Amino acid sequence: MLWLLLQVWISCLWMGRSEVVTSFASCPQFFYQNTPPNNTLLPQSPAWICQYYNKSYYYATLYNITGRIPVYSAYIYQPGTGNRSQTWMVEPQLMGPTYPMEMLTESTLTTYYNVTLQQISQNQAVNSDYTNLTGLNRGHLNPNGHHNTNDSRMATFTLTNIVPQNITLNGGAWNDYEQKTMKNKTQNCINKTYVITGAVPGNRSVSNGRVNVPSHIWSSACCRTNTTMKAWAAIALNNQNRVTLLNLGQLEANLTQLYGKGNVSLFHKDCPRK
Ligand SMILES: *[C@@H]1O[C@H](CO)[C@@H](O)[C@H](O)[C@H]1NC(C)=O
Ligand SMILES: *[C@@H]1O[C@H](CO)[C@@H](O)[C@H](O)[C@H]1NC(C)=O
Ligand SMILES: *[C@@H]1O[C@H](CO)[C@@H](O)[C@H](O)[C@H]1NC(C)=O
Ligand SMILES: *[C@@H]1O[C@H](CO)[C@@H](O)[C@H](O)[C@H]1NC(C)=O
Ligand SMILES: *[C@@H]1O[C@H](CO)[C@@H](O)[C@H](O)[C@H]1NC(C)=O
Ligand SMILES: *[C@@H]1O[C@H](CO)[C@@H](O)[C@H](O)[C@H]1NC(C)=O
Ligand SMILES: *[C@@H]1O[C@H](CO)[C@@H](O)[C@H](O)[C@H]1NC(C)=O
Ligand SMILES: *[C@@H]1O[C@H](CO)[C@@H](O)[C@H](O)[C@H]1NC(C)=O
Ligand SMILES: *[C@@H]1O[C@H](CO)[C@@H](O)[C@H](O)[C@H]1NC(C)=O
Ligand SMILES: *[C@@H]1O[C@H](CO)[C@@H](O)[C@H](O)[C@H]1NC(C)=O
Ligand SMILES: *[C@@H]1O[C@H](CO)[C@@H](O)[C@H](O)[C@H]1NC(C)=O
Ligand SMILES: *[C@@H]1O[C@H](CO)[C@@H](O)[C@H](O)[C@H]1NC(C)=O
């Protein structure tokens, strides 16, 4: 009995801390067949974030600490309606392993964890990076509209899931892709639809060079239908209001060129490339 209590106590202590991780070991369930993209999308300073909010994991993000934007977020599509959060959160774990693994607001961190805004902003984007942009606003990679509970929607409002996105694209063609195309494409999906949405780093930045402005936004999805596996993809230049639909193989070939670090593989081999 004592031994059990001790174990519970230790695991409670452990849960409050973030681990220094080099994989998505705590959240493989957000990738089809537990298979994340291969390493050709890894940035020089990566952070593997299992997005944790109100005691649950909601999705996974590969974060580029140098560009202070995500490379991609991976999640399961469960569209729904509900409220849009007015507050944004950050990832304490990006300050180091002694900080919580749970996403929190900047003010909670500065008030209760004795850290300065400058400490928070060292390895990630903060609210002030996004307050003075022209022609760009906060573009969710994993959008709140693809989730159907308060907490899962809330969990998308963390700046590690956000890139500076062309305002017109964000509210226009990309929004149409998220709302309409996804709904249409998933009509014959049974079980779960797995999504990976990412951003190709661009050669422009905002907030005094702190935050990269991606050149492209892309998305891909894979699901099972009654008769077969199905996959599809989309890409958009981040300075136009147009989304190009393509198959998974075409997107991977496109990203292989754009990232230039070898053959990109986004999904498990069972997801059809064409
Ligand atoms: C956190 O989750 C619990 C149940 O797991 C729920 O009752 C509560 O409303 C949630 N809190 C917030 C802030 O959403
Ligand atoms: C990470 O960000 C840096 C700086 O913006 C950029 O040069 C690099 O290509 C990015 N890497 C990836 C994989 O996105
Ligand atoms: C949205 O927020 C309002 C009040 O802020 C609340 O009455 C309503 O239930 C919320 N809707 C959902 C779907 O949570
Ligand atoms: C808060 O942080 C500062 C600077 O890191 C340190 O000097 C101080 O002792 C800390 N205070 C508490 C109460 O931990
Ligand atoms: C906001 O951006 C403008 C240029 O777009 C710049 O002149 C101004 O200094 C910026 N203000 C702040 C508070 O960063
Ligand atoms: C969702 O959040 C809103 C506003 O915070 C709250 O009014 C509502 O009760 C919540 N709904 C659920 C199902 O927790
Ligand atoms: C939905 O997809 C089908 C093909 O799968 C296509 O023929 C149809 O035009 C699409 N509808 C909309 C509204 O995009
Ligand atoms: C899949 O097949 C099952 C059983 O044949 C059927 O009940 C279900 O409606 C089908 N789903 C779709 C999306 O076609
Ligand atoms: C749905 O998923 C569950 C768990 O992943 C699996 O056991 C089941 O076979 C799947 N059903 C179909 C029809 O693929
Ligand atoms: C955003 O897209 C619009 C529509 O294509 C374009 O006119 C505008 O120049 C773009 N702005 C930026 C900052 O990329
Ligand atoms: C990738 O897609 C973008 C947007 O459609 C396009 O501009 C670009 O030419 C494509 N690149 C390759 C290598 O296919
Ligand atoms: C990534 O996956 C592709 C396709 O499976 C493969 O050709 C390539 O060698 C892989 N690269 C790495 C670094 O794993």
Side-chain angles (χ1 to χ4, degrees), residues 184-226:
N184 193 6
K185 295 272 190 192
T186 52
Q187 266 171 25
N188 57 354
C189 292
I190 56 175
N191 266 358
K192 296 170 179 165
T193 299
Y194 292 83
V195 183
I196 302 177
T197 300
V200 180
N203 50 23
R204 208 160 82 75
S205 60
V206 291
S207 197
N208 288 319
R210 281 180 40 82
V211 178
N212 186 281
V213 178
S215 60
H216 301 71
I217 317 280
W218 53 267
S219 185
S220 56
C222 178
C223 74
R224 180 178 295 285
T225 73
N226 261 351

Side-chain angles (χ1 to χ4, degrees), residues 61-264:
T61 296
L62 179 64
Y63 194 66
N64 180 349
I65 289 173
T66 318
R68 297 192 182 88
I69 53 170
V71 179
Y72 61 74
S73 287
Y75 62 95
I76 294 164
Y77 175 74
Q78 289 169 306
T81 53
N83 287 328
R84 222 192 127 80
S85 170
Q86 297 303 316
T87 55
W88 291 85
M89 293 176 281
V90 294
E91 301 294 335
Q93 56 185 299
L94 288 175
M95 289 187 292
T98 58
Y99 294 95
M101 65 198 278
E102 179 168 31
M103 56 179 82
L104 295 169
T105 61
E106 287 167 20
S107 65
T108 300
L109 275 169
T110 53
T111 308
Y112 298 106
Y113 290 86
N114 191 31
V115 294
T116 60
L117 192 53
Q118 207 231 318
Q119 281 172 282
I120 302 171
S121 66
Q122 191 165 358
N123 288 339
Q124 63 192 303
V126 292
N127 278 288
S128 60
D129 290 321
Y130 281 92
T131 49
N132 193 30
L133 306 184
T134 43
L136 303 164
N137 63 3
R138 301 175 203 222
H140 280 86
L141 294 187
N142 174 10
N144 66 98
H146 285 182
H147 301 283
N148 57 11
T149 64
N150 266 356
D151 280 3
S152 58
R153 294 166 67 81
M154 197 60 203
T156 67
F157 287 84
T158 173
L159 292 172
T160 54
N161 178 43
I162 297 296
V163 298
Q165 186 173 7
N166 181 296
I167 291 185
T168 319
L169 174 65
N170 195 4
W174 194 256
N175 186 55
D176 282 353
Y177 175 77
E178 287 176 345
Q179 306 299 324
K180 295 181 188 155
T181 312
M182 281 295 290
K183 192 171 180 198
N184 193 6
K185 295 272 190 192
T186 52
Q187 266 171 25
N188 57 354
C189 292
I190 56 175
N191 266 358
K192 296 170 179 165
T193 299
Y194 292 83
V195 183
I196 302 177
T197 300
V200 180
N203 50 23
R204 208 160 82 75
S205 60
V206 291
S207 197
N208 288 319
R210 281 180 40 82
V211 178
N212 186 281
V213 178
S215 60
H216 301 71
I217 317 280
W218 53 267
S219 185
S220 56
C222 178
C223 74
R224 180 178 295 285
T225 73
N226 261 351
T227 51
T228 177
M229 292 297 297
K230 172 179 178 175
W232 63 92
I235 191 163
L237 279 162
N238 195 24
N239 58 8
Q240 292 183 2
N241 185 24
R242 187 170 70 228
V243 171
T244 304
L245 297 183
L246 61 191
N247 65 36
L248 177 57
Q250 287 168 330
L251 177 66
E252 287 174 337
N254 190 310
L255 297 181
T256 295
Q257 272 201 9
L258 290 169
Y259 286 90
K261 293 209 216 101
N263 284 334
V264 170

